[in-house]
Amino acid sequence: AGATGERFAWGLWGAPRVMGEGGGEAGGTRPSPSEEDRKRVDGLRAALGTPNVLFVILAGHHDRRHVLWIVLGVIIWQFFAKALTTTVTCLTRHESLIKQVYFPRELFALTNVGSQLIFAALSFVIAIPAMIYFRMVPSLYLLMVPLGLILTALLALGSGLMLACLNVVNRDVEHVLKFVTKAGMFVSPVLWTIDMAPKNRAGMLHY
């Protein structure tokens, strides 16, 4: 089933490109999917899977604003996961450049985290129409959002720099990290809130 879905998705993404390059000729051969096309297929799978998970979580929830909390939580977690992953792989991805030119290696990590920070800040724009719809009045707590993003960036930067050295020795670190970040989104209170946890576990979660 997975191979069939991948061939179907490849047909959706690759058909216009192949036809534009003369793929309509008789006897023409279809090119093999590139790395970019495989990433598109993975993105399509994630896009089809995430709404199902959100539907299960949002079903029957008493707070209408819970969907906003989930969206904001996913934005922050994706920012942390991408910043951490790109920092861990910054040395191995620029291995040839590092061998040719000497400069501070930390620049790779700083640029990666900085770009992800800008993307995350721009993603928070979607909260403005949601706040208008739910009639939420802005308060001074909004001033804590930039501080929270900066602390998240520093956490991803520091953890990524430590793991980047291990990833140079053993490339399996980056693969394990991708699994940990994906699983962490469901384990941590991103798609769920503390008040949804059992009463006997609430004290442990607050700690």
Side-chain angles (χ1 to χ4, degrees):
T4 304
E6 184 171 350
R7 288 195 297 269
F8 174 73
W10 157 245
L12 291 178
W13 292 110
R17 183 182 306 173
V18 174
M19 294 180 65
E21 296 176 357
E25 299 178 1
T29 58
R30 186 183 66 180
S32 59
S34 62
E35 185 65 25
E36 179 182 356
D37 295 309
R38 294 185 182 275
K39 291 181 179 180
R40 289 176 177 175
V41 172
D42 294 337
L44 180 61
R45 290 175 178 173
L48 293 177
T50 304
N52 297 330
V53 176
L54 295 179
F55 177 79
V56 173
I57 295 175
L58 293 176
H61 200 275
H62 64 279
D63 191 359
R64 294 175 54 198
R65 299 174 299 177
H66 186 61
V67 61
L68 177 60
W69 311 143
I70 287 183
V71 171
L72 296 179
V74 170
I75 290 175
I76 296 176
W77 183 265
Q78 290 296 329
F79 159 60
F80 172 75
K82 290 181 180 179
L84 179 61
T85 303
T86 54
T87 303
V88 171
T89 59
C90 65
L91 297 180
T92 55
R93 286 187 292 107
H94 301 88
E95 180 179 359
S96 59
L97 181 60
I98 292 176
K99 292 180 180 179
Q100 296 176 2
V101 183
Y102 177 78
F103 57 92
R105 311 297 192 254
E106 295 81 5
L107 290 179
F108 291 121
L110 291 173
T111 54
N112 290 330
V113 175
S115 61
Q116 295 298 331
L117 180 60
I118 295 175
F119 293 150
L122 294 177
S123 300
F124 275 100
V125 176
I126 64 175
I128 298 177
M131 293 178 64
I132 297 175
Y133 175 77
F134 292 117
R135 298 179 181 178
M136 300 175 62
V137 180
S139 63
L140 294 177
Y141 290 105
L142 288 178
L143 299 178
M144 302 296 293
V145 175
L147 178 60
L149 287 176
I150 293 175
L151 293 177
T152 305
L154 292 177
L155 177 61
L157 180 62
S159 304
L161 288 175
M162 290 189 297
L163 295 176
C165 301
L166 297 178
N167 190 52
V168 173
V169 180
N170 191 349
R171 300 294 178 88
D172 292 334
V173 174
E174 59 181 280
H175 301 296
V176 174
L177 184 63
K178 291 180 181 179
F179 171 77
V180 172
T181 52
K182 289 182 179 179
M185 186 176 67
F186 298 95
V187 177
S188 60
V190 175
L191 297 179
W192 52 274
T193 56
I194 296 180
D195 59 344
M196 297 172 61
K199 299 299 182 181
N200 56 349
R201 303 291 184 181
M204 180 179 63
L205 293 175
H206 283 293
Y207 176 77

